[in-house]
Amino acid sequence: GLLIALSFPKINAFYLVWIAFIPLIYCSLRNCVRNSLIYGFISGMVCSAFSLYWIFSVLEYNTNSYIQSFAASGILWAYLSLYFSLWSGIISFSRRHFHPVLSSLFGACAWVTLEFIRTYFLTGFGWNSLGYSQSSFVHIIQIADIAGVYGVSFVIVFINMLLYYWLQDSKNKRYLVLSAALFFAVILYGSVRIG
């Protein structure tokens, strides 16, 4: 959760997000669904609290109450953490049903679906979509002209999952090759579009 939060502005260590999900994927795929839900929630809470810390200040300024501001911020952070939790539970549940490449594809699709729901459900919360972390990585974000911010988020999660599977079986280079091929294909597309 902290690695993901650090990839957003103001810290803007955008490169961290390319490996940030690996610890959560590790916990999710090696535990039962219930424990994966808990790990996902904790990860989401850390990410939300660190990347959306400013919500507390805004609320405190407007209410002049630390208690109300902390309660409202905490409720919002917990709500956003539910999406991390659901994603962790989904990939934990599906781990027995898919080959690693299909599991990676499924995990990326699940993340993008949850991110889309979060953006529009109820009143919606469009901040902190994963693709926004790449605002400084101009060559990567060019695919947004085809797939929007969700396409960037998809590529990030897909590559994270492939890298996880490569780390689990480092003798088998196909996951590393596939993730590198996708990464460089997106950069190549971005270079052409910028050109």
Side-chain angles (χ1 to χ4, degrees), residues 143-175:
I143 63 166
D145 68 348
I146 298 171
V149 69
Y150 305 109
V152 180
S153 297
F154 177 89
V155 171
I156 291 168
V157 176
F158 190 53
I159 287 176
N160 268 271
M161 291 200 68
L162 287 173
L163 290 176
Y164 164 78
Y165 284 116
W166 170 65
L167 289 171
Q168 293 306 299
D169 184 14
S170 57
K171 292 178 183 175
N172 190 344
K173 302 280 192 264
R174 65 180 168 185
Y175 305 124

mmCIF file of all heavy atoms in Angstrom, residues 143-175:
data_model
loop_
_atom_site.group_PDB
_atom_site.id
_atom_site.type_symbol
_atom_site.label_atom_id
_atom_site.label_comp_id
_atom_site.label_asym_id
_atom_site.label_seq_id
_atom_site.Cartn_x
_atom_site.Cartn_y
_atom_site.Cartn_z
ATOM 1 N N ILE A 143 -1.173 5.482 -24.304
ATOM 2 C CA ILE A 143 -2.211 4.500 -24.620
ATOM 3 C C ILE A 143 -3.579 4.938 -24.102
ATOM 4 O O ILE A 143 -4.596 4.352 -24.448
ATOM 5 C CB ILE A 143 -1.881 3.090 -24.084
ATOM 6 C CG1 ILE A 143 -1.797 3.070 -22.560
ATOM 7 C CG2 ILE A 143 -0.647 2.540 -24.727
ATOM 8 C CD1 ILE A 143 -1.812 1.674 -21.968
ATOM 9 N N ALA A 144 -3.596 5.996 -23.304
ATOM 10 C CA ALA A 144 -4.869 6.512 -22.797
ATOM 11 C C ALA A 144 -5.751 7.041 -23.928
ATOM 12 O O ALA A 144 -6.960 7.128 -23.763
ATOM 13 C CB ALA A 144 -4.636 7.598 -21.756
ATOM 14 N N ASP A 145 -5.144 7.362 -25.082
ATOM 15 C CA ASP A 145 -5.986 7.818 -26.199
ATOM 16 C C ASP A 145 -6.834 6.685 -26.776
ATOM 17 O O ASP A 145 -7.823 6.934 -27.457
ATOM 18 C CB ASP A 145 -5.152 8.496 -27.288
ATOM 19 C CG ASP A 145 -4.227 7.543 -28.032
ATOM 20 O OD1 ASP A 145 -4.049 6.402 -27.578
ATOM 21 O OD2 ASP A 145 -3.666 7.956 -29.065
ATOM 22 N N ILE A 146 -6.472 5.445 -26.470
ATOM 23 C CA ILE A 146 -7.251 4.285 -26.903
ATOM 24 C C ILE A 146 -8.089 3.744 -25.750
ATOM 25 O O ILE A 146 -9.284 3.523 -25.893
ATOM 26 C CB ILE A 146 -6.322 3.157 -27.407
ATOM 27 C CG1 ILE A 146 -5.521 3.618 -28.615
ATOM 28 C CG2 ILE A 146 -7.127 1.910 -27.738
ATOM 29 C CD1 ILE A 146 -4.439 2.651 -29.024
ATOM 30 N N ALA A 147 -7.459 3.545 -24.603
ATOM 31 C CA ALA A 147 -8.101 2.814 -23.502
ATOM 32 C C ALA A 147 -8.373 3.658 -22.267
ATOM 33 O O ALA A 147 -8.866 3.136 -21.277
ATOM 34 C CB ALA A 147 -7.230 1.621 -23.124
ATOM 35 N N GLY A 148 -8.035 4.926 -22.290
ATOM 36 C CA GLY A 148 -8.256 5.776 -21.129
ATOM 37 C C GLY A 148 -7.318 5.411 -19.984
ATOM 38 O O GLY A 148 -6.394 4.613 -20.134
ATOM 39 N N VAL A 149 -7.585 5.988 -18.833
ATOM 40 C CA VAL A 149 -6.751 5.724 -17.660
ATOM 41 C C VAL A 149 -6.840 4.259 -17.250
ATOM 42 O O VAL A 149 -5.899 3.697 -16.694
ATOM 43 C CB VAL A 149 -7.139 6.663 -16.492
ATOM 44 C CG1 VAL A 149 -8.513 6.330 -15.940
ATOM 45 C CG2 VAL A 149 -6.093 6.617 -15.390
ATOM 46 N N TYR A 150 -7.967 3.615 -17.578
ATOM 47 C CA TYR A 150 -8.144 2.206 -17.218
ATOM 48 C C TYR A 150 -7.186 1.299 -17.988
ATOM 49 O O TYR A 150 -6.758 0.267 -17.484
ATOM 50 C CB TYR A 150 -9.592 1.776 -17.449
ATOM 51 C CG TYR A 150 -10.561 2.664 -16.720
ATOM 52 C CD1 TYR A 150 -11.373 3.556 -17.408
ATOM 53 C CD2 TYR A 150 -10.634 2.650 -15.333
ATOM 54 C CE1 TYR A 150 -12.244 4.389 -16.727
ATOM 55 C CE2 TYR A 150 -11.501 3.479 -14.652
ATOM 56 C CZ TYR A 150 -12.302 4.354 -15.356
ATOM 57 O OH TYR A 150 -13.149 5.186 -14.681
ATOM 58 N N GLY A 151 -6.828 1.688 -19.196
ATOM 59 C CA GLY A 151 -5.857 0.923 -19.965
ATOM 60 C C GLY A 151 -4.477 0.975 -19.325
ATOM 61 O O GLY A 151 -3.764 -0.037 -19.278
ATOM 62 N N VAL A 152 -4.117 2.138 -18.801
ATOM 63 C CA VAL A 152 -2.833 2.282 -18.115
ATOM 64 C C VAL A 152 -2.855 1.436 -16.838
ATOM 65 O O VAL A 152 -1.890 0.716 -16.538
ATOM 66 C CB VAL A 152 -2.538 3.763 -17.805
ATOM 67 C CG1 VAL A 152 -1.203 3.907 -17.097
ATOM 68 C CG2 VAL A 152 -2.556 4.605 -19.079
ATOM 69 N N SER A 153 -3.946 1.499 -16.100
ATOM 70 C CA SER A 153 -4.083 0.688 -14.877
ATOM 71 C C SER A 153 -3.985 -0.796 -15.205
ATOM 72 O O SER A 153 -3.338 -1.564 -14.480
ATOM 73 C CB SER A 153 -5.425 0.971 -14.197
ATOM 74 O OG SER A 153 -5.515 2.303 -13.783
ATOM 75 N N PHE A 154 -4.620 -1.204 -16.295
ATOM 76 C CA PHE A 154 -4.590 -2.606 -16.715
ATOM 77 C C PHE A 154 -3.161 -3.076 -16.946
ATOM 78 O O PHE A 154 -2.751 -4.135 -16.462
ATOM 79 C CB PHE A 154 -5.423 -2.781 -17.986
ATOM 80 C CG PHE A 154 -5.382 -4.177 -18.536
ATOM 81 C CD1 PHE A 154 -6.300 -5.121 -18.114
ATOM 82 C CD2 PHE A 154 -4.420 -4.548 -19.468
ATOM 83 C CE1 PHE A 154 -6.260 -6.417 -18.609
ATOM 84 C CE2 PHE A 154 -4.376 -5.829 -19.974
ATOM 85 C CZ PHE A 154 -5.293 -6.770 -19.543
ATOM 86 N N VAL A 155 -2.390 -2.289 -17.696
ATOM 87 C CA VAL A 155 -1.009 -2.665 -18.009
ATOM 88 C C VAL A 155 -0.183 -2.780 -16.726
ATOM 89 O O VAL A 155 0.598 -3.721 -16.561
ATOM 90 C CB VAL A 155 -0.375 -1.652 -18.997
ATOM 91 C CG1 VAL A 155 1.116 -1.891 -19.152
ATOM 92 C CG2 VAL A 155 -1.071 -1.723 -20.348
ATOM 93 N N ILE A 156 -0.378 -1.851 -15.795
ATOM 94 C CA ILE A 156 0.380 -1.866 -14.539
ATOM 95 C C ILE A 156 0.105 -3.146 -13.753
ATOM 96 O O ILE A 156 1.031 -3.840 -13.312
ATOM 97 C CB ILE A 156 0.054 -0.620 -13.693
ATOM 98 C CG1 ILE A 156 0.604 0.634 -14.359
ATOM 99 C CG2 ILE A 156 0.602 -0.763 -12.272
ATOM 100 C CD1 ILE A 156 0.095 1.938 -13.765
ATOM 101 N N VAL A 157 -1.171 -3.476 -13.566
ATOM 102 C CA VAL A 157 -1.522 -4.661 -12.771
ATOM 103 C C VAL A 157 -1.105 -5.936 -13.496
ATOM 104 O O VAL A 157 -0.595 -6.873 -12.877
ATOM 105 C CB VAL A 157 -3.028 -4.666 -12.427
ATOM 106 C CG1 VAL A 157 -3.421 -5.939 -11.695
ATOM 107 C CG2 VAL A 157 -3.371 -3.451 -11.578
ATOM 108 N N PHE A 158 -1.317 -5.986 -14.802
ATOM 109 C CA PHE A 158 -0.937 -7.168 -15.582
ATOM 110 C C PHE A 158 0.560 -7.445 -15.447
ATOM 111 O O PHE A 158 0.975 -8.580 -15.196
ATOM 112 C CB PHE A 158 -1.342 -6.957 -17.048
ATOM 113 C CG PHE A 158 -1.223 -8.170 -17.911
ATOM 114 C CD1 PHE A 158 -1.825 -9.363 -17.557
ATOM 115 C CD2 PHE A 158 -0.522 -8.126 -19.100
ATOM 116 C CE1 PHE A 158 -1.726 -10.493 -18.366
ATOM 117 C CE2 PHE A 158 -0.415 -9.242 -19.924
ATOM 118 C CZ PHE A 158 -1.024 -10.427 -19.553
ATOM 119 N N ILE A 159 1.372 -6.403 -15.573
ATOM 120 C CA ILE A 159 2.822 -6.571 -15.466
ATOM 121 C C ILE A 159 3.213 -6.956 -14.044
ATOM 122 O O ILE A 159 4.083 -7.820 -13.847
ATOM 123 C CB ILE A 159 3.559 -5.311 -15.956
ATOM 124 C CG1 ILE A 159 3.464 -5.246 -17.492
ATOM 125 C CG2 ILE A 159 5.015 -5.288 -15.495
ATOM 126 C CD1 ILE A 159 4.067 -4.020 -18.125
ATOM 127 N N ASN A 160 2.581 -6.377 -13.045
ATOM 128 C CA ASN A 160 2.860 -6.761 -11.656
ATOM 129 C C ASN A 160 2.599 -8.244 -11.438
ATOM 130 O O ASN A 160 3.390 -8.941 -10.793
ATOM 131 C CB ASN A 160 2.007 -5.937 -10.691
ATOM 132 C CG ASN A 160 2.689 -4.693 -10.206
ATOM 133 O OD1 ASN A 160 3.394 -4.723 -9.202
ATOM 134 N ND2 ASN A 160 2.485 -3.595 -10.917
ATOM 135 N N MET A 161 1.496 -8.745 -11.959
ATOM 136 C CA MET A 161 1.168 -10.154 -11.772
ATOM 137 C C MET A 161 2.140 -11.057 -12.523
ATOM 138 O O MET A 161 2.568 -12.085 -12.004
ATOM 139 C CB MET A 161 -0.285 -10.422 -12.157
ATOM 140 C CG MET A 161 -1.252 -9.771 -11.168
ATOM 141 S SD MET A 161 -2.902 -10.441 -11.175
ATOM 142 C CE MET A 161 -2.666 -12.072 -10.511
ATOM 143 N N LEU A 162 2.499 -10.672 -13.726
ATOM 144 C CA LEU A 162 3.480 -11.463 -14.481
ATOM 145 C C LEU A 162 4.823 -11.494 -13.764
ATOM 146 O O LEU A 162 5.481 -12.544 -13.704
ATOM 147 C CB LEU A 162 3.648 -10.900 -15.891
ATOM 148 C CG LEU A 162 2.491 -11.137 -16.865
ATOM 149 C CD1 LEU A 162 2.727 -10.364 -18.158
ATOM 150 C CD2 LEU A 162 2.300 -12.621 -17.144
ATOM 151 N N LEU A 163 5.229 -10.359 -13.220
ATOM 152 C CA LEU A 163 6.495 -10.319 -12.478
ATOM 153 C C LEU A 163 6.427 -11.175 -11.219
ATOM 154 O O LEU A 163 7.417 -11.820 -10.858
ATOM 155 C CB LEU A 163 6.863 -8.874 -12.122
ATOM 156 C CG LEU A 163 7.285 -7.997 -13.297
ATOM 157 C CD1 LEU A 163 7.532 -6.566 -12.841
ATOM 158 C CD2 LEU A 163 8.519 -8.558 -13.994
ATOM 159 N N TYR A 164 5.277 -11.211 -10.573
ATOM 160 C CA TYR A 164 5.116 -12.093 -9.417
ATOM 161 C C TYR A 164 5.334 -13.551 -9.834
ATOM 162 O O TYR A 164 6.069 -14.284 -9.175
ATOM 163 C CB TYR A 164 3.731 -11.934 -8.780
ATOM 164 C CG TYR A 164 3.400 -13.070 -7.858
ATOM 165 C CD1 TYR A 164 3.931 -13.126 -6.573
ATOM 166 C CD2 TYR A 164 2.612 -14.141 -8.294
ATOM 167 C CE1 TYR A 164 3.668 -14.199 -5.739
ATOM 168 C CE2 TYR A 164 2.349 -15.215 -7.466
ATOM 169 C CZ TYR A 164 2.879 -15.239 -6.187
ATOM 170 O OH TYR A 164 2.633 -16.304 -5.365
ATOM 171 N N TYR A 165 4.687 -13.964 -10.921
ATOM 172 C CA TYR A 165 4.837 -15.357 -11.363
ATOM 173 C C TYR A 165 6.270 -15.652 -11.798
ATOM 174 O O TYR A 165 6.766 -16.756 -11.592
ATOM 175 C CB TYR A 165 3.846 -15.676 -12.484
ATOM 176 C CG TYR A 165 2.446 -15.875 -11.975
ATOM 177 C CD1 TYR A 165 1.419 -15.018 -12.338
ATOM 178 C CD2 TYR A 165 2.144 -16.917 -11.105
ATOM 179 C CE1 TYR A 165 0.127 -15.197 -11.861
ATOM 180 C CE2 TYR A 165 0.865 -17.104 -10.617
ATOM 181 C CZ TYR A 165 -0.130 -16.244 -11.003
ATOM 182 O OH TYR A 165 -1.397 -16.426 -10.504
ATOM 183 N N TRP A 166 6.943 -14.675 -12.376
ATOM 184 C CA TRP A 166 8.351 -14.877 -12.736
ATOM 185 C C TRP A 166 9.203 -15.055 -11.477
ATOM 186 O O TRP A 166 10.076 -15.921 -11.431
ATOM 187 C CB TRP A 166 8.857 -13.701 -13.565
ATOM 188 C CG TRP A 166 10.341 -13.740 -13.765
ATOM 189 C CD1 TRP A 166 11.053 -14.674 -14.454
ATOM 190 C CD2 TRP A 166 11.294 -12.826 -13.227
ATOM 191 N NE1 TRP A 166 12.398 -14.384 -14.396
ATOM 192 C CE2 TRP A 166 12.575 -13.247 -13.651
ATOM 193 C CE3 TRP A 166 11.199 -11.674 -12.456
ATOM 194 C CZ2 TRP A 166 13.737 -12.566 -13.314
ATOM 195 C CZ3 TRP A 166 12.350 -11.000 -12.118
ATOM 196 C CH2 TRP A 166 13.602 -11.449 -12.552
ATOM 197 N N LEU A 167 8.953 -14.243 -10.444
ATOM 198 C CA LEU A 167 9.713 -14.376 -9.197
ATOM 199 C C LEU A 167 9.466 -15.727 -8.523
ATOM 200 O O LEU A 167 10.360 -16.264 -7.866
ATOM 201 C CB LEU A 167 9.359 -13.243 -8.232
ATOM 202 C CG LEU A 167 9.873 -11.857 -8.640
ATOM 203 C CD1 LEU A 167 9.285 -10.792 -7.741
ATOM 204 C CD2 LEU A 167 11.398 -11.815 -8.616
ATOM 205 N N GLN A 168 8.284 -16.291 -8.712
ATOM 206 C CA GLN A 168 7.976 -17.593 -8.130
ATOM 207 C C GLN A 168 8.662 -18.733 -8.880
ATOM 208 O O GLN A 168 8.915 -19.783 -8.318
ATOM 209 C CB GLN A 168 6.453 -17.824 -8.124
ATOM 210 C CG GLN A 168 5.708 -16.908 -7.194
ATOM 211 C CD GLN A 168 6.251 -16.966 -5.781
ATOM 212 O OE1 GLN A 168 6.233 -18.004 -5.138
ATOM 213 N NE2 GLN A 168 6.758 -15.849 -5.292
ATOM 214 N N ASP A 169 8.916 -18.496 -10.161
ATOM 215 C CA ASP A 169 9.547 -19.526 -10.991
ATOM 216 C C ASP A 169 10.596 -18.836 -11.866
ATOM 217 O O ASP A 169 10.421 -18.698 -13.077
ATOM 218 C CB ASP A 169 8.472 -20.217 -11.844
ATOM 219 C CG ASP A 169 9.037 -21.367 -12.661
ATOM 220 O OD1 ASP A 169 10.166 -21.814 -12.385
ATOM 221 O OD2 ASP A 169 8.336 -21.828 -13.591
ATOM 222 N N SER A 170 11.687 -18.379 -11.244
ATOM 223 C CA SER A 170 12.663 -17.544 -11.948
ATOM 224 C C SER A 170 13.421 -18.289 -13.050
ATOM 225 O O SER A 170 14.030 -17.664 -13.907
ATOM 226 C CB SER A 170 13.653 -16.926 -10.962
ATOM 227 O OG SER A 170 14.293 -17.934 -10.217
ATOM 228 N N LYS A 171 13.365 -19.606 -13.038
ATOM 229 C CA LYS A 171 14.005 -20.361 -14.128
ATOM 230 C C LYS A 171 13.204 -20.240 -15.416
ATOM 231 O O LYS A 171 13.749 -20.350 -16.506
ATOM 232 C CB LYS A 171 14.132 -21.831 -13.743
ATOM 233 C CG LYS A 171 15.119 -22.076 -12.626
ATOM 234 C CD LYS A 171 15.177 -23.542 -12.259
ATOM 235 C CE LYS A 171 16.127 -23.737 -11.087
ATOM 236 N NZ LYS A 171 16.146 -25.117 -10.607
ATOM 237 N N ASN A 172 11.911 -20.021 -15.272
ATOM 238 C CA ASN A 172 11.036 -19.879 -16.421
ATOM 239 C C ASN A 172 10.944 -18.398 -16.778
ATOM 240 O O ASN A 172 10.276 -17.628 -16.107
ATOM 241 C CB ASN A 172 9.646 -20.439 -16.085
ATOM 242 C CG ASN A 172 8.766 -20.535 -17.298
ATOM 243 O OD1 ASN A 172 9.044 -19.929 -18.329
ATOM 244 N ND2 ASN A 172 7.692 -21.279 -17.176
ATOM 245 N N LYS A 173 11.603 -18.021 -17.844
ATOM 246 C CA LYS A 173 11.713 -16.609 -18.217
ATOM 247 C C LYS A 173 10.518 -16.090 -19.020
ATOM 248 O O LYS A 173 10.464 -14.911 -19.336
ATOM 249 C CB LYS A 173 12.985 -16.394 -19.035
ATOM 250 C CG LYS A 173 14.259 -16.795 -18.345
ATOM 251 C CD LYS A 173 14.710 -15.728 -17.376
ATOM 252 C CE LYS A 173 16.112 -15.972 -16.905
ATOM 253 N NZ LYS A 173 16.220 -16.674 -15.647
ATOM 254 N N ARG A 174 9.560 -16.947 -19.340
ATOM 255 C CA ARG A 174 8.498 -16.488 -20.239
ATOM 256 C C ARG A 174 7.653 -15.378 -19.627
ATOM 257 O O ARG A 174 7.187 -14.489 -20.335
ATOM 258 C CB ARG A 174 7.630 -17.649 -20.699
ATOM 259 C CG ARG A 174 6.836 -18.319 -19.624
ATOM 260 C CD ARG A 174 6.020 -19.451 -20.171
ATOM 261 N NE ARG A 174 5.497 -20.229 -19.066
ATOM 262 C CZ ARG A 174 4.821 -21.324 -19.201
ATOM 263 N NH1 ARG A 174 4.592 -21.801 -20.398
ATOM 264 N NH2 ARG A 174 4.380 -21.963 -18.161
ATOM 265 N N TYR A 175 7.459 -15.392 -18.301
ATOM 266 C CA TYR A 175 6.673 -14.325 -17.666
ATOM 267 C C TYR A 175 7.426 -13.003 -17.705
ATOM 268 O O TYR A 175 6.838 -11.948 -17.925
ATOM 269 C CB TYR A 175 6.321 -14.698 -16.226
ATOM 270 C CG TYR A 175 5.607 -16.016 -16.117
ATOM 271 C CD1 TYR A 175 6.112 -17.031 -15.309
ATOM 272 C CD2 TYR A 175 4.443 -16.272 -16.837
ATOM 273 C CE1 TYR A 175 5.474 -18.250 -15.214
ATOM 274 C CE2 TYR A 175 3.801 -17.491 -16.757
ATOM 275 C CZ TYR A 175 4.320 -18.480 -15.935
ATOM 276 O OH TYR A 175 3.691 -19.694 -15.856
#
